[in-house]
Amino acid sequence: MPRFNRLVETNLKPYRKDLCKIRQLDLSGLSAVEMTQRLESIRQTVRSDRDERAGCGDCLPEVLPELFALVCAAVQAEFGWSVFDSQLLAALAMQRGHVAELDTGEGKTLVAVFVACLNALTGKGVHVLTFNDYLASRDAEWMRPIYQRLGFEVAVVQSGQSLSERRQAYAADITYLTAKEAGFDYLRGFLAGTPADLVQRPFHYAVVDEADSILIDEARIPLVIAGGSSTAGSIDPALYRVVTAMQLGRHYRLDEFAEHILITEAGAAWLERRLSINNLYDEAHVHLQTQVRLILQAEALLRRDVDYLVRDGSIQLIDEFTGRVIQNRQWPEGLHEAVEIKEGLSSRSRGRILNRITLRDFLALYPGLCGMTGTACSAAAELNLFYGLRVTRIPPHVPCRRIDRPDLVFRLQFEKEQAIVTEIRRRHQAGQPVLVGTASVAESEQLAEQVRAAGLPCVVLNARSDATEAAVIAQAGQCGAITLSTNMAGRGVDIRLEDPGKGGLFVIGTNRHRSVRIDNQLRGRAGRQGDPGESCFYVSLQDDLIERYQIRTVLPPAYQNLPPAGTDDAGPIGDRAIIEAIDHTQRVVEGQLFQQRQALARYSLLVEEQRRLIHQLRQDFLTGAKRLEIWQSEAPLQTAALMRATSADDMQKAQQTAGALLLGQGWADYLELVDQLLDHVAMMRSGPNDPFTAFNRQVIDAYAHLLDTFETDLIELLDKLQVADGKINLSATDLQAPPTTRTYLIDDGSDTLDQTLGISNLVAAAANPGFFLLSLAARRQKRLLDHDKS
C-alpha cells in the first residue's frame, strides 16, 4: 500500500463479528412469502424504534445480521448466487459510512443492495447514485428481482422523465439515478411555485457508486439551473473572422501547458489597428476582450473529436473522464456559441442563473453517505478531508491473476502505433481478446484504420458510437476480439471472457492519463474475479501528457530532441527515468487539482451556508411551515381591502407563494453579485484587504441586503396584486417561476482562484501590460451546459 494511504483501513477484524452472525443465519429455505413476512417484521422493529426514540434507524445495527442474511437468501433464490465474504465485508464497511475499494468483478452492484435495503427500512428512501444513466437503469433492472422478493419498491430516475414520473420514482424505497440528476431535481425544487411542484422527499441516505469519480473528480463542478429571459448570443461573426486571422506565435501564444492563451504586445497592437480602437485594455472594451477570449479558446484550445463532436447539426461535448458524449449540454458564457461559429452551426440562446450547487455540497445534504469503487485508496486523503469518509480496502474473493507489465516507451508516436498494431496481431492470432484504451475519439478511429489496414477486424467504442455500447462490450471478451475504446470502457464495464484459457483479456493503454486512477480503471477491465489477464501501457515522447507538461525537458539529453521518423532505432526505450518522470507528473497534477478543490471549498463555504438557509426559508414559505404576516402587519388597510375581494385563506396562500418566489429572485441577484466578486477577487491586494477576507465581507453584506429588501419588495407587491374570480392572480405581477429552465455544469472558477492564491504563476503574466491573459484549462475543467425542459 502506498505510503500516502495511511487513511486506508486494511484491518477487517472489526467486521468479522457481524460476518459470523450473518453466516450463522441460514434463511435460504424460506419461501418468497416467508421472506416478505420476515422483512416486514424487521421493518416494524426499525420503525417502532424510530417512533419511540425519535431517531433515524437507531436499531439498524441490531437488525443488520438478519437483514443481510435475508438478502443473501433472496440472492440465492433469484439468481442462484452465493454471496462472497468480501461482498458482505464491503457492505459492512459501507454501512459504517466508509468507501469500500473492491477490485473489478467483485460484485459492487450486489454490495449496494445490502446497504440500500438496510437503510430503506426506515421508510425514508435511499438513493443509489451511479456514474451515468445507463448504469442506473442497468443496475436497477438487474437487482430488481431481489428487491421485489423482499418487498422493496425500486425505481429509476432518468433524464427526460415528467414531473409525476420523477415524484413517483423518488417515493420508492430505493431509487437509482445519477448524482447530477438528483442535484438538478434539487435545484428545480428551489424554483417550485407550489408544493405540488416538488418531486423529492427530504434526503436520507445515499450509496455512491464509482465514488472517487463522483465525490472527487466531478465534485467541484457546480450544477446550475438557468431560466428567465433568454438573450441571443454575444459573439460578433465579423469579430470572429478578424480574431481567427491572428497567428500563433506572433499575435498570441500558449502557456507551457497549452491551457492558457497569452496575447503578445504585437497581437494587441494588431487587434487595435484592425478594430480601429486606441486601447484594447480600456474598460470600455471589456465586452470586446471577452469575445476575443472566447474566440481564441474555441479556435486554439478546444479540439474537434477530442473535446467535442459535431453530430446531428450540433456540438456535443465529450467527458474527459468517461469518453462519453454528454447529452444536451453546452459550454456557457458564449464559449459554446464561439465553437458553433467555428463549426458553421447556428447558435443557441442563454438564460439567467437562478441557482447552483456543487456536487460536493449537494452530497453533503445527505445525513447518511457511503460509497464504493475500484480506485479509492489514492483518493483517501480527499475523501476524508471533504466528506469525513474513510476508505476500507477489501481483498478480492479470488486473488487477482492479472499481470501488469511495465510501460513500453517509444520516441515517436508513429513508432508506438506500429508496435501496438504488431502486438494486437500477435494476440489476435493466439485467440486472445484485446481491449485498447485510447485518449480521444480521433485517436481511437485513427488507430482503428491502422488495425484494419493490417488486415485485422476490430470494433470501435467511442462517443460517436455510444448507441452500440452494450453490444460492443458484450462481444469484447470473445476469443480474438479486438476492441478499441476511449475511456467509455474504463468504468462500470464488466467484460466477460468466452474462454479464460486463451490468456484472458489483454488491455493496452495508448496513453498515460493525468490521474493514475484513470489508468488503474482501464487496467481493471482485465483480471476479473480471478480470471487471467494482462495490461500494458504504450507511451511515446510525443504523447499529450508529455508534451503538455514538458516532461522531455527533465529527461536525459538523449531524449530531449526527437529523431526523424523512419530511423533504425524504433524500438522501445529501456530508461526507467522516463516512467519515473511520468509518475512524478501524475502526482504533481493530482496535487494541483487537490489544491484547487481546497481553494474552491474555502471560497464556497460561506455561500453554501447562506444557500442552505435561504433554501430552508423558501421551503418553509412554500409549504406553510413558516407563516408570513408581513402584509397584515405592515399594510393592514390594503390587506383588508384585498381580503374583502377574495378570502383570508387565499390571501395567505398568495403571500406564502409570493414570499417563496421573491426569495428565489433575490437569490438569483445574490448569485450574480457573487460571480462578479469572483471575477474581481484576483485584483484584490493582500494585507488587511486580502482576497478571502474581502470576498467574505462582501458576501455577508450581499446576504444581509437580500434579507433587508425582501420585506420591502413583498409589501410593494401589494400594489400590483389583482383579483380575478375571487382569487389573487400573482402571474399578473410577473412574479412566477420561469416556464422553462436549463440545467448545466460550468467552470468552477479555479483559474481565478489560482491567480489569487498563488497556485500558478498566472498573476505575473496578467500583471505584465504586454500581455492579455485569456484562461481556459481546456481539458482540465468542466464548462458544460445542459438544456433541460422542465
Side-chain angles (χ1 to χ4, degrees):
M1 196 67 63
R3 287 173 297 182
F4 54 80
N5 279 348
R6 59 185 178 82
L7 294 173
V8 176
E9 178 184 53
T10 56
N11 178 16
L12 303 182
K13 189 175 180 179
Y15 309 110
R16 297 289 180 184
K17 183 177 179 180
D18 279 333
L19 179 62
C20 290
K21 291 180 180 178
I22 296 166
R23 291 306 191 192
Q24 289 170 0
L25 291 169
D26 183 5
L27 306 180
S28 59
L30 297 180
S31 66
V33 174
E34 289 172 329
M35 284 187 186
T36 304
Q37 292 174 343
R38 189 101 175 215
L39 188 283
E40 187 58 31
S41 175
I42 299 173
R43 194 196 304 265
Q44 291 302 321
T45 300
V46 171
R47 292 186 177 179
S48 62
D49 174 81
R50 181 194 64 191
D51 295 339
E52 291 174 7
R53 295 191 273 182
C56 181
D58 292 328
C59 72
L60 289 184
E62 300 171 15
V63 303
L64 183 151
E66 184 180 4
L67 187 281
F68 276 24
L70 201 56
V71 175
C72 288
V75 171
Q76 177 67 40
E78 292 294 335
F79 297 131
W81 300 342
S82 296
V83 178
F84 305 147
D85 283 356
S86 59
Q87 292 173 313
L88 289 173
L89 289 168
L92 289 168
M94 289 164 63
Q95 184 56 32
R96 289 197 181 188
H98 293 193
V99 173
E101 180 179 283
L102 299 97
D103 291 345
T104 301
E106 286 295 302
K108 291 189 290 290
T109 304
L110 181 58
V111 170
V113 174
F114 288 87
V115 184
C117 287
L118 181 63
N119 289 279
L121 292 172
T122 62
K124 295 184 177 183
V126 173
H127 293 172
V128 181
L129 304 178
T130 65
F131 195 57
N132 54 52
D133 279 350
Y134 165 75
L135 292 177
S137 178
R138 184 202 71 177
D139 292 354
E141 293 306 316
W142 190 9
M143 299 293 107
R144 185 181 297 278
I146 301 173
Y147 290 126
Q148 289 180 335
R149 190 176 188 89
L150 295 173
F152 287 109
E153 182 184 2
V154 63
V156 184
V157 172
Q158 302 263 273
S159 58
Q161 286 181 330
S162 67
L163 203 67
S164 60
E165 289 172 330
R166 289 173 180 272
R167 187 182 301 110
Q168 184 176 358
Y170 281 116
D173 296 310
I174 297 147
T175 307
Y176 282 74
L177 73 166
T178 66
K180 293 173 186 175
E181 202 66 37
F184 285 138
D185 278 334
Y186 173 76
L187 292 178
R188 294 184 190 104
F190 192 85
L191 304 181
T194 67
D197 295 331
L198 301 173
V199 298
Q200 291 176 327
R201 295 187 282 171
F203 295 132
H204 168 51
Y205 199 93
V207 179
V208 184
D209 193 9
E210 302 297 350
D212 60 318
S213 179
I214 294 173
L215 297 176
I216 300 298
D217 295 334
E218 299 188 344
R220 68 181 186 174
I221 306 166
L223 307 178
V224 173
I225 188 164
S229 59
S230 294
T231 57
S234 59
I235 301 295
D236 183 352
L239 176 64
Y240 200 103
R241 290 191 292 271
V242 171
V243 174
T244 52
M246 297 176 71
Q247 299 175 13
L248 176 63
R250 179 184 176 190
H251 298 131
Y252 69 94
R253 64 181 178 83
L254 305 182
D255 76 338
E256 58 179 337
F257 298 142
E259 293 178 341
H260 301 87
I261 295 173
L262 302 173
I263 291 184
T264 64
E265 291 184 4
W270 184 87
L271 277 174
E272 289 164 354
R273 289 195 301 271
R274 294 292 300 271
L275 301 175
S276 301
I277 59 176
N278 293 326
N279 184 0
L280 177 64
Y281 309 110
D282 190 276
E283 289 185 5
H285 300 313
V286 170
H287 182 62
L288 178 63
Q289 296 171 21
T290 299
Q291 291 192 58
V292 172
R293 169 173 60 86
L294 296 172
I295 293 168
L296 286 176
Q297 287 174 356
E299 285 289 327
L301 297 180
L302 294 177
R303 295 167 292 173
R304 183 170 178 166
D305 293 341
V306 176
D307 301 298
Y308 65 91
L309 294 178
V310 177
R311 186 166 64 178
D312 300 328
S314 66
I315 302 295
Q316 299 188 0
L317 276 63
I318 299 173
D319 190 307
E320 173 193 0
F321 296 107
T322 68
R324 302 174 189 273
V325 159
I326 310 171
Q327 296 292 337
N328 301 319
R329 291 180 186 160
Q330 70 179 58
W331 292 288
E333 301 176 15
L335 181 59
H336 198 92
E337 181 191 355
V339 178
E340 287 171 329
I341 295 174
K342 170 186 175 181
E343 299 294 347
L345 304 174
S346 58
S347 62
R348 303 180 181 182
S349 60
R350 294 175 289 167
R352 185 190 188 201
I353 291 179
L354 302 174
N355 199 6
R356 66 164 172 255
I357 189 171
T358 64
L359 274 175
R360 180 181 60 246
D361 291 330
F362 169 69
L363 291 167
L365 298 175
Y366 288 89
L369 186 69
C370 69
M372 55 187 183
T373 182
T375 48
C377 289
S378 62
E382 290 193 61
L383 291 168
N384 185 263
L385 175 66
F386 292 131
Y387 302 97
L389 297 173
R390 293 196 64 191
V391 171
T392 301
R393 168 63 188 167
I394 306 296
H397 170 65
V398 179
C400 180
R401 295 169 56 195
R402 186 184 68 241
I403 301 172
D404 295 326
R405 301 198 178 280
D407 293 5
L408 296 177
V409 183
F410 299 82
R411 287 179 171 83
L412 301 179
Q413 177 83 11
F414 172 74
E415 297 169 354
K416 178 183 78 173
E417 292 170 350
Q418 282 188 320
I420 290 174
V421 173
T422 298
E423 186 65 17
I424 290 174
R425 178 189 293 110
R426 186 173 76 85
R427 302 283 178 161
H428 173 73
Q429 290 174 347
Q432 187 174 10
V434 179
L435 172 67
V436 183
T438 64
S440 67
V441 172
E443 185 187 13
S444 66
E445 294 177 345
Q446 177 183 338
L447 188 58
E449 290 180 3
Q450 298 180 40
V451 171
R452 289 169 181 146
L456 301 171
C458 68
V459 293
V460 177
L461 176 61
N462 59 34
R464 210 191 305 277
S465 59
D466 51 2
T468 62
E469 175 179 357
V472 171
I473 292 302
Q475 300 297 319
Q478 299 294 309
C479 294
I482 303 172
T483 308
L484 285 79
S485 175
T486 57
N487 286 343
M488 289 177 67
R491 283 188 186 270
V493 171
D494 195 4
I495 298 175
R496 298 176 182 273
L497 299 176
E498 178 186 18
D499 181 3
K502 295 294 185 180
L505 184 67
F506 181 57
V507 172
I508 296 176
T510 65
N511 296 264
R512 289 281 289 272
H513 297 85
R514 290 183 305 143
S515 171
V516 69
R517 286 184 288 110
I518 300 178
D519 292 343
N520 290 339
Q521 284 286 346
L522 179 60
R523 291 187 193 275
R525 298 315 99 196
R528 170 188 172 276
Q529 288 188 358
D531 285 341
E534 293 179 68
S535 73
C536 183
F537 278 81
Y538 285 62
V539 179
S540 86
L541 298 184
Q542 293 181 312
D543 285 355
D544 180 74
L545 182 73
I546 292 176
E547 294 281 1
R548 180 180 293 264
Y549 296 102
Q550 300 184 359
I551 294 177
R552 283 208 310 272
T553 61
V554 300
L555 296 179
Y559 307 123
Q560 294 185 10
N561 296 316
L562 298 178
T567 58
D568 294 335
D569 186 14
I573 303 170
D575 196 326
R576 178 63 191 170
I578 299 174
I579 301 304
E580 290 176 351
I582 293 175
D583 292 341
H584 175 74
T585 300
Q586 285 182 318
R587 291 194 297 271
V588 169
V589 172
E590 289 181 336
Q592 289 176 341
L593 294 175
F594 186 14
Q595 287 181 304
Q596 290 175 359
R597 287 189 281 266
Q598 284 181 299
L600 179 66
R602 190 166 175 247
Y603 272 80
S604 65
L605 185 64
L606 184 56
V607 175
E608 170 58 17
E609 180 60 29
Q610 292 171 346
R611 188 203 56 75
R612 289 195 187 199
L613 293 172
I614 288 295
H615 184 273
Q616 186 59 56
L617 187 60
R618 190 184 188 280
Q619 294 294 94
D620 289 345
F621 288 163
L622 195 65
T623 60
K626 186 179 290 294
R627 184 178 175 87
L628 274 172
E629 300 284 354
I630 294 177
W631 286 350
Q632 295 90 326
S633 61
E634 300 297 328
L637 295 179
Q638 287 176 280
T639 303
L642 283 168
M643 287 178 62
R644 287 193 292 270
T646 177
S647 68
D649 182 61
D650 188 64
M651 189 73 179
Q652 188 61 45
K653 287 181 179 178
Q655 185 172 194
Q656 299 291 134
T657 301
L661 294 174
L662 274 175
L663 271 184
Q665 290 185 355
W667 183 251
D669 293 337
Y670 166 90
L671 288 179
E672 192 171 331
L673 177 61
V674 169
D675 286 340
Q676 293 172 7
L677 292 176
L678 285 173
D679 287 340
H680 291 90
V681 72
M683 301 174 65
M684 301 176 186
R685 297 185 180 275
S686 59
N689 294 322
D690 71 278
F692 182 65
T693 301
F695 173 79
N696 280 335
R697 284 175 178 169
Q698 294 183 67
V699 163
I700 291 172
D701 290 342
Y703 183 73
H705 178 74
L706 188 165
L707 297 178
D708 290 343
T709 57
F710 169 74
E711 182 173 329
T712 302
D713 292 342
L714 188 59
I715 294 171
E716 290 179 353
L717 186 66
L718 275 171
D719 294 330
K720 303 176 183 178
L721 294 182
Q722 297 178 11
V723 178
D725 298 327
K727 299 288 184 181
I728 293 177
N729 183 13
L730 281 177
S731 60
T733 66
D734 294 327
L735 184 65
Q736 56 184 322
T740 60
T741 59
R742 296 178 296 171
T743 54
Y744 59 92
L745 299 110
I746 62 172
D747 177 17
D748 55 27
S750 61
D751 277 335
T752 302
L753 296 178
D754 284 355
Q755 296 177 29
T756 303
L757 303 175
I759 295 174
S760 72
N761 61 359
L762 298 180
V763 175
N768 186 335
F771 292 103
F772 174 45
L773 178 64
L774 306 176
S775 297
L776 172 71
R779 297 172 60 197
R780 188 179 66 190
Q781 298 189 15
K782 299 281 195 176
R783 286 178 161 273
L784 312 176
L785 179 60
D786 172 32
H787 286 275
D788 185 17
K789 298 179 180 178
S790 67

